[in-house]
Each structure stands twice: as C-alpha cells, then as structure tokens.
Amino acid sequence: MESSDSAASQYAQLLSTARASREAPPTATSNGYTFVYLPRSRRMDRKEIRSRFRLLDIDTSRILDITLPARGVVGVLLHVDFQSEFVSLLKACKINTLSSFDPLDPAHIVDPKFDDMTGAQRIQLAKAIQQDRCIRSLEYLREYLVPSVAQYYVQQGWISPTIASSTIRTRLPRPTKRSKTSTATAAAAFLMESGFQPKPDEVMEEFHENAFDSDSEDSDDDIEEPAKDADTTQ
C-alpha cells in the first residue's frame, strides 16, 4: 500500500513539474529588458514580421512584443539575455539595427496637421504617444511579464509609476487580440488641450502603434532578405 501511495505521489509531482515547465518563462540570468530597433521599407503587420524573423532562424517565442514607433521602424522588445544572439542573427543576414533611435524624438511626428505645433508641444505629444504605446504593450503581453516590463518602462521614463500600477491592476486575465482601433488616450487628451480636435476615428491615426499594421502592396520587404549564403532553414 505504501509503495502504491509513493508511486502516486511521485506521479503527481512529475505531473506538477511538467505543468510548471509549460507555463513558466524561459530561464534567464537577469531581469532586464531592451528594445532593438530595425529599419523597414514597407508596411507589415506583426504576424508578417514574426514570419520574416522565423525565416532568419530567429526564435520568435523569445520576442516579447513588436511595436511600430515611427514610419519605417520596427521596435522589438526582448529580454537582455537574448539581445546579443538576436542582433548577431540579424547581422549574419546583413540587417543592421538602429542603435541611436529614440522613440521620444519629436522628429517622428511628420503628419502635416501638426506642423503648427510649437517645439514644446511636439515634445509633449511624442511623450504622450510613447506612453500610450507602452500601455497598449502591457495590455497584450503575457501576464507573467507585465510587472517587470512595466518597471522597465518606468525606468525608461516612458510611463509613471502610478500609470504602471494602475495598468497592472486593471490588466485582463488573458491577452486579447490586439485591436487596430485602440485609442491613444494620453495623446488624444494632449491634443484636445492644445486646441487640436481630430475626429474620434482618426485620433493619432498616423502615430499610434497600429498605424502601419495593415497588409500592403507587394513591394520591397522592410525586413531585408537574408544574404544568399545565409542559412534560412527553420
């Protein structure tokens, strides 16, 4: 009887360990995150971008989020432990990163309807857009990542501790499908206060995170094709 109970206990323990291994994130040696920015030459949605990464033999399960912070730019959120490998794989395929890209640079605001803004207003708008982008990211990240990534965003000065705490508390229990009609609330509020009154369905249309998330005409790929001698097997 004791042998049977022992076997049952061992089985339960193995089952629990297997379940935990499926749910737990990959083992990491540090707790930091980083964004790697890449150039792109045409519009692509996240699904297509991930598909291109797989062609480059990149483990997309280690890509935490993909953002589109400016025209012609892709932002990839990674754990710092994966950064070196990710960049090396890109370089092997002749893809250079944008090491000096700053998502807060008001130069990314190129819509003519904001041409009359002062320099100070453009800086504030760029900050508001980045804040909205970070909040949307936290809404769709895997749940166990939300607290630590929120802390990273706070450390970067992209969101406040208050916003981070509020977003974590109100986070949905499961990630939902990313909507193409999400409203950039901070940016919209700033524009209203500044006297700009865009239509509700076009608030931050050009600059919110989903602005370029649409299938586009067949043109040159924004993730450069790997060199002919590069290994593209999956």
Side-chain angles (χ1 to χ4, degrees):
M1 185 67 177
E2 292 181 358
S3 177
S4 177
D5 291 343
S6 176
S9 177
Q10 290 178 358
Y11 175 76
Q13 184 175 3
L14 288 172
L15 184 62
S16 176
T17 301
R19 184 181 298 113
S21 67
R22 291 195 300 268
E23 296 175 352
T27 301
T29 59
S30 58
N31 296 319
Y33 299 94
T34 189
F35 265 99
V36 174
Y37 296 100
L38 312 172
R40 64 192 180 106
S41 61
R42 71 173 180 88
R43 300 180 182 182
M44 289 198 302
D45 60 20
R46 290 171 179 79
K47 182 178 180 180
E48 186 176 358
I49 292 172
R50 286 183 178 273
S51 176
R52 299 297 178 178
F53 283 147
R54 283 192 289 272
L55 290 176
L56 304 181
D57 203 26
I58 291 173
D59 182 1
T60 57
S61 68
R62 301 187 69 182
I63 293 177
L64 308 181
D65 196 20
I66 295 174
T67 66
L68 305 172
R71 190 185 299 276
V73 178
V74 174
V76 183
L77 177 64
L78 307 168
H79 199 283
V80 291
D81 287 348
F82 185 47
Q83 180 183 8
S84 178
E85 179 182 342
F86 180 71
V87 172
S88 294
L89 287 169
L90 294 175
K91 288 184 177 179
C93 298
K94 312 301 182 184
I95 300 174
N96 296 318
T97 60
L98 304 175
S99 58
S100 61
F101 179 82
D102 179 4
L104 298 181
D105 190 341
H108 304 317
I109 302 176
V110 297
D111 192 315
K113 65 175 172 280
F114 301 125
D115 285 350
D116 292 335
M117 277 189 169
T118 65
Q121 286 178 321
R122 293 171 68 85
I123 290 173
Q124 289 301 312
L125 178 57
K127 290 180 178 179
I129 293 171
Q130 178 66 1
Q131 173 181 296
D132 293 334
R133 185 178 295 118
C134 291
I135 292 173
R136 281 194 299 274
S137 173
L138 294 173
E139 290 174 347
Y140 297 105
L141 282 173
R142 292 187 289 271
E143 190 173 13
Y144 69 83
L145 292 170
V146 173
S148 55
V149 172
Q151 182 61 31
Y152 165 66
Y153 290 163
V154 170
Q155 293 170 349
Q156 297 301 306
W158 295 339
I159 61 174
S160 68
T162 301
I163 290 176
S165 297
S166 176
T167 303
I168 292 171
R169 287 196 304 269
T170 59
R171 169 63 202 273
L172 296 175
R174 289 177 178 271
T176 58
K177 184 176 181 181
R178 195 184 293 262
S179 170
K180 292 188 178 183
T181 59
S182 58
T183 301
T185 54
F190 171 76
L191 289 173
M192 295 295 288
E193 293 174 359
S194 301
F196 292 84
Q197 298 186 14
K199 297 178 181 178
D201 60 349
E202 66 177 11
V203 172
M204 301 319 303
E205 178 180 355
E206 180 159 3
F207 303 108
H208 71 62
E209 187 176 3
N210 298 315
F212 305 109
D213 281 7
S214 60
D215 294 333
S216 60
E217 61 280 0
D218 293 330
S219 59
D220 291 339
D221 201 339
D222 49 305
I223 302 290
E224 300 169 8
E225 292 295 338
K228 292 183 179 180
D229 57 347
D231 181 7
T232 59
T233 58
Q234 296 188 27

